[in-house]
Amino acid sequence: MSTVDDLAREPALQKRDREATRARLLEAARLRFAREGYDATSVRDIAGDAGVDATLIFRYFGSKKQLFDQATTADSPADLLAGPPEELVARMVRTVVDHDWTAYGGEHPLVAMLRSSAHEDTRLRIREEVCHTYVDALRDLAEGEDTALRAELLSAWMVGIGILRSVVATPALSEARTSDLAPHIATVATALLGRPMSGNTD
């Protein structure tokens, strides 16, 4: 027979169970979406990976689409836009190359969205994230004419680094760290932004 203390503890235990199950589903979804994209990933796949019934996805997230949105949303490292402006591009590249994205299948969440870019709303999310996180900051930093174009060219270069590392897995770039890329970061960033840029972040 349950005691008063047992009854008082039950809601807290149920809440912890719900939170743990939700966390497992998010982790499984991140891995699946990162590797296979939205269309190739089923609700049953995710639930099976998490070891729970597929109906819990709809209970906790509402739909596969809402789960995808949450699974591919990540805050940029807090120091991305902080620090010396001449190191901004190096910090951005570092989030792609050296940041620990283990919880997202080892890849920047943008890669998972790119694998699902056949969907219009996903394309809009990619454009918003790239523009607001990268392009706007680079455009404000650039000097001279055509700052928007040059900021987008530099952003395209950084996105390309992520794709070659994660999707194509080219050998040299896959093994490179930010320190290996530093002189090339400085050269490309300086040329496109029209001001001296560093390839290092320290």
Side-chain angles (χ1 to χ4, degrees):
M1 184 175 180
S2 298
T3 65
V4 173
D5 288 341
D6 290 336
L7 292 173
R9 280 195 295 268
E10 282 181 6
L13 291 172
Q14 291 172 357
K15 181 180 179 181
R16 284 200 295 272
D17 287 344
R18 289 196 300 270
E19 290 174 348
T21 299
R22 192 177 186 281
R24 289 204 308 276
L25 284 167
L26 267 176
E27 181 180 5
R30 286 166 179 157
L31 293 173
R32 281 280 182 174
F33 288 135
R35 291 196 305 258
E36 301 172 14
Y38 183 85
D39 288 332
T41 297
S42 72
V43 167
R44 290 185 180 276
D45 290 334
I46 296 169
D49 292 343
V52 300
D53 190 276
T55 58
L56 291 180
I57 289 178
F58 301 99
R59 180 184 302 176
Y60 294 145
F61 300 97
S63 67
K64 175 184 170 182
K65 177 62 174 59
Q66 291 180 59
L67 173 58
F68 175 80
D69 289 343
Q70 292 192 41
T72 55
T73 298
D75 293 330
S76 298
D79 61 348
L80 180 62
L81 299 181
E86 67 271 14
E87 297 177 1
L88 176 60
V89 177
R91 290 195 299 273
M92 288 180 171
V93 173
R94 188 182 64 196
T95 67
V96 176
V97 176
D98 292 337
H99 187 70
D100 183 8
W101 294 110
T102 303
Y104 292 82
E107 299 176 338
H108 194 291
L110 180 61
V111 174
M113 287 194 284
L114 287 170
R115 288 197 174 102
S116 308
S117 58
H119 297 267
E120 177 63 20
D121 54 349
T122 302
R123 286 198 298 274
L124 291 174
R125 278 189 63 203
I126 293 170
R127 184 167 65 190
E128 181 176 352
E129 178 169 329
V130 170
C131 287
H132 291 309
T133 304
Y134 297 97
V135 176
D136 287 354
L138 295 172
R139 182 197 60 215
D140 293 342
L141 194 61
E143 296 179 351
E145 300 179 353
D146 296 326
T147 56
L149 176 59
R150 289 186 283 118
E152 290 182 21
L153 284 170
L154 188 49
S155 298
W157 180 67
M158 289 187 283
V159 170
I161 290 173
I163 292 173
L164 285 181
R165 283 175 60 87
S166 297
V167 180
V168 183
T170 55
L173 196 53
S174 295
E175 295 177 3
R177 310 313 303 170
T178 304
S179 57
D180 302 317
L181 300 175
H184 311 296
I185 293 170
T187 298
V188 173
T190 297
L192 284 174
L193 296 181
R195 56 180 292 171
M197 298 294 291
S198 172
N200 298 304
T201 57
D202 47 32

